[in-house]
């Protein structure tokens, strides 16, 4: 008996293939590289191929396995076992392709700025920020993202008060955007001599990086620029010159600090890039009511609001308040195993 299968929806690639042919035709024009949008066209072409090629591979695998099943009997155990193994492989490929379909937002393919700020809880929360920072760094490294630390303010006694990093890579914003919000930790405090249980909070902010060609009108009179010396743990100066830069946009109250470069000029440029992205995201949220998809809703960094809870005592559990996904393996999550949480967030 012949098995028939029709492809549509997610696997209807005909339209994308036609667009690929059209763009490829443009790229072979002798004057193509004289065009201002040449790089944008190449990026679009590569993005389309990145979507179409896995789908074609999956369709080809399915068709081959169907043809094989048409020709084998129930006694061909070895062939059936091979097809079952290929089914598992194709299922993983399907899940990957499905996730890609959720990354179609205007900014999803962009790099992003990830920030973590300590909330209520003093030293406890600063230590919690350092734990979250380590968690995200490990996740990003496992997924081959490039990381640039732009600013880090150490806590007075321990941990990190706030940290800002630039995440560079395909779909960085798309994958991380649902991590925004307040993250809550419940544990026996290592700083409490009486070994009491404490609750700590930290806020995670995710901002898409905006293309430099996008015009953002920033009035220099609206900026308060502070120059200071970069510092490390214990208040020791990292640089011998005043190179760190803090820019405050007075109308919006947005504050951006950068001290990773030794040059004051470079730090100022990085600050302005981040400020542009934040102002653009803010403006888009006002115009299009996209607060939840661009900058996220502002939530109190304390009790009563939260993105995710990490409980280490009296039981172990990590639960996401939006997707409802949860696991009992807290240590694994804090070691950077965030794929299930991030994938569940995309599907919400």
């Amino acid at each position: 008996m012949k098995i028939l299968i029709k492809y549509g929806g997610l696997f209807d690639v005909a339209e994308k293939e036609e667009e690929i042919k059209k763009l490829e035709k443009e790229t072979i024009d002798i004057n193509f590289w004289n065009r201002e949008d040449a790089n944008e066209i190449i990026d679009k072409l590569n993005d389309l191929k990145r979507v179409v090629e896995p789908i074609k591979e999956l369709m080809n695998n399915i068709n081959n396995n169907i043809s094989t099943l048409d020709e084998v009997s129930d006694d061909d155990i070895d062939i059936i076992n091979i097809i079952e193994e290929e089914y598992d492989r194709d299922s993983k490929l399907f899940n990957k392709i499905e996730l890609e379909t959720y990354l179609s937002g205007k900014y999803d393919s962009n790099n992003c700025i990830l920030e973590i700020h300590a909330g209520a809880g003093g030293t406890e929360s600063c230590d919690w920020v350092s734990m979250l920072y380590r968690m995200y760094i490990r996740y990003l490294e496992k997924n081959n993202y490039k990381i640039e630390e732009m600013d880090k303010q150490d806590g007075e006694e321990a941990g990190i008060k706030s940290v800002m990093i630039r995440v560079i890579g395909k779909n960085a914003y798309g994958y991380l955007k649902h991590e925004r919000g307040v993250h809550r930790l419940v544990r026996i405090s290592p700083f409490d001599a009486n070994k009491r249980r404490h609750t700590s909070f930290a806020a995670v902010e995710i901002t898409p990086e905006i293309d430099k060609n996008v015009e953002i009108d920033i009035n220099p009179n609206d900026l308060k620029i502070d120059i200071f010396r970069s510092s490390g743990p214990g208040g020791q100066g990292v640089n011998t010159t005043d190179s760190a830069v803090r820019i405050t946009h007075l109308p919006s109250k947005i504050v951006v600090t950068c001290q990773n470069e030794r040059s004051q000029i470079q730090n100022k440029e990085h600050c302005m890039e981040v400020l542009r992205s934040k102002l653009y995201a803010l403006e888009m949220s006002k115009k299009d009511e996209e607060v939840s998809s661009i900058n996220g809703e502002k939530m109190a960094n304390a009790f009563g609001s939260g993105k995710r809870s990490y409980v280490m005592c009296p039981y172990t559990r990590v639960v996401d308040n939006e997707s409802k996904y949860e696991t009992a393996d807290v240590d694994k999550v804090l070691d950077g195993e965030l794929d299930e949480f991030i994938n569940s967030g995309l599907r919400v």
Side-chain angles (χ1 to χ4, degrees):
M1 176 178 140
K2 291 288 183 181
I3 302 175
L4 299 177
I5 184 168
K6 293 183 178 180
Y7 299 102
L10 172 63
F11 301 100
D12 187 1
V13 299
E15 184 178 340
K16 290 184 177 63
E17 287 186 310
E18 284 299 318
E19 190 170 2
I20 288 174
K21 290 179 182 178
K22 178 183 175 182
L23 293 175
E24 285 180 333
K25 186 176 180 180
E26 291 184 38
T27 62
I28 62 176
D29 185 277
I30 191 171
N31 296 315
F32 173 73
W33 289 107
N34 294 327
R35 295 172 52 169
E36 293 184 0
D37 61 347
N39 287 325
E40 294 178 13
I41 291 175
I42 293 297
D43 288 342
K44 186 176 182 180
L45 179 60
N46 290 335
D47 287 344
L48 285 169
K49 288 181 176 180
R50 194 178 292 112
V51 171
V52 168
E53 287 172 3
I55 295 176
K56 292 176 69 175
E57 177 187 349
L58 181 60
M59 291 167 61
N60 185 58
N61 293 345
I62 293 173
N63 288 331
N64 288 339
N65 288 335
I66 289 173
S67 297
T68 302
L69 285 172
D70 286 337
E71 299 170 1
V72 301
S73 65
D74 294 340
D75 297 330
D76 295 323
I77 303 300
D78 291 339
I79 299 297
I80 292 174
N81 287 338
I82 290 174
I83 292 176
E84 287 180 347
E85 291 177 1
E86 292 187 352
Y87 172 80
D88 291 336
R89 181 197 64 192
D90 290 342
S91 294
K92 293 178 181 178
L93 181 57
F94 172 83
N95 289 332
K96 180 180 178 182
I97 293 171
E98 183 191 22
L99 281 175
E100 292 290 329
T101 66
Y102 293 102
L103 300 173
S104 58
K106 185 174 182 180
Y107 312 99
D108 285 352
S109 63
N110 293 21
N111 300 333
C112 70
I113 305 299
L114 184 153
E115 300 173 65
I116 313 173
H117 302 277
T123 300
E124 291 287 342
S125 289
C126 289
D127 189 54
W128 176 219
V129 169
S130 67
M131 293 168 67
L132 286 173
Y133 181 49
R134 175 181 177 274
M135 178 185 78
Y136 283 119
I137 292 296
R138 294 209 166 192
Y139 166 78
L140 294 169
E141 289 176 343
K142 289 175 184 177
N143 286 276
N144 301 313
Y145 284 101
K146 184 180 177 182
I147 303 158
E148 291 182 359
E149 184 179 291
M150 302 182 71
D151 179 49
K152 185 169 72 170
Q153 303 291 330
D154 293 292
E156 294 182 4
E157 297 180 17
I160 301 171
K161 186 175 182 180
S162 68
V163 63
M164 178 173 67
I165 62 173
R166 182 184 181 216
V167 183
I168 304 168
K170 184 65 177 176
N171 293 325
Y173 177 68
Y175 278 112
L176 290 173
K177 63 184 178 182
H178 294 294
E179 289 298 296
R180 66 169 62 87
V182 176
H183 293 240
R184 169 178 171 264
L185 172 69
V186 180
R187 65 170 177 173
I188 298 296
S189 171
F191 304 100
D192 189 333
N194 295 318
K195 302 299 180 182
R196 290 173 295 187
R197 189 171 63 188
H198 285 248
T199 301
S200 307
F201 300 89
V204 174
E205 297 181 15
I206 309 291
T207 305
E209 190 173 84
I210 303 302
D211 192 292
K212 292 182 179 180
N213 294 326
V214 177
E215 293 186 7
I216 306 295
D217 185 21
I218 301 178
N219 187 339
N221 295 326
D222 290 338
L223 302 180
K224 180 177 181 293
I225 302 177
D226 297 307
I227 308 298
F228 57 98
R229 183 166 298 180
S230 300
S231 62
Q236 295 179 331
V238 175
N239 296 333
T240 57
T241 59
D242 293 340
S243 61
V245 178
R246 180 188 299 111
I247 297 180
T248 304
H249 185 251
L250 299 175
S252 66
K253 308 301 182 185
I254 292 174
V255 179
V256 180
T257 303
C258 186
Q259 58 176 319
N260 64 309
E261 302 289 350
R262 291 187 175 275
S263 165
Q264 180 187 130
I265 295 175
Q266 289 178 309
N267 282 327
K268 184 177 179 181
E269 288 178 353
H270 288 324
C271 274
M272 289 302 296
E273 288 176 9
V274 176
L275 180 60
R276 287 177 68 256
S277 294
K278 285 180 172 287
L279 288 174
Y280 184 78
L282 182 62
E283 185 63 26
M284 289 301 98
S285 69
K286 292 178 180 177
K287 289 183 178 180
D288 305 323
E289 298 182 351
E290 296 176 348
V291 176
S292 61
S293 64
I294 298 178
N295 252 351
E297 295 179 1
K298 296 296 182 182
M299 293 187 290
N301 199 3
F303 288 101
S305 60
K307 157 65 182 172
R308 187 176 301 148
S309 295
Y310 308 70
V311 182
M312 303 180 75
C313 178
Y315 53 85
T316 59
R317 187 180 68 167
V318 183
V319 57
D320 192 277
N321 296 330
E322 294 176 2
S323 68
K324 306 305 178 185
Y325 179 81
E326 63 178 81
T327 178
D329 198 339
V330 180
D331 291 336
K332 187 176 179 180
V333 173
L334 292 176
D335 202 35
E337 296 295 332
L338 291 173
D339 289 324
E340 291 301 327
F341 281 99
I342 287 177
N343 295 346
S344 298
L346 287 173
R347 292 188 172 97
V348 171

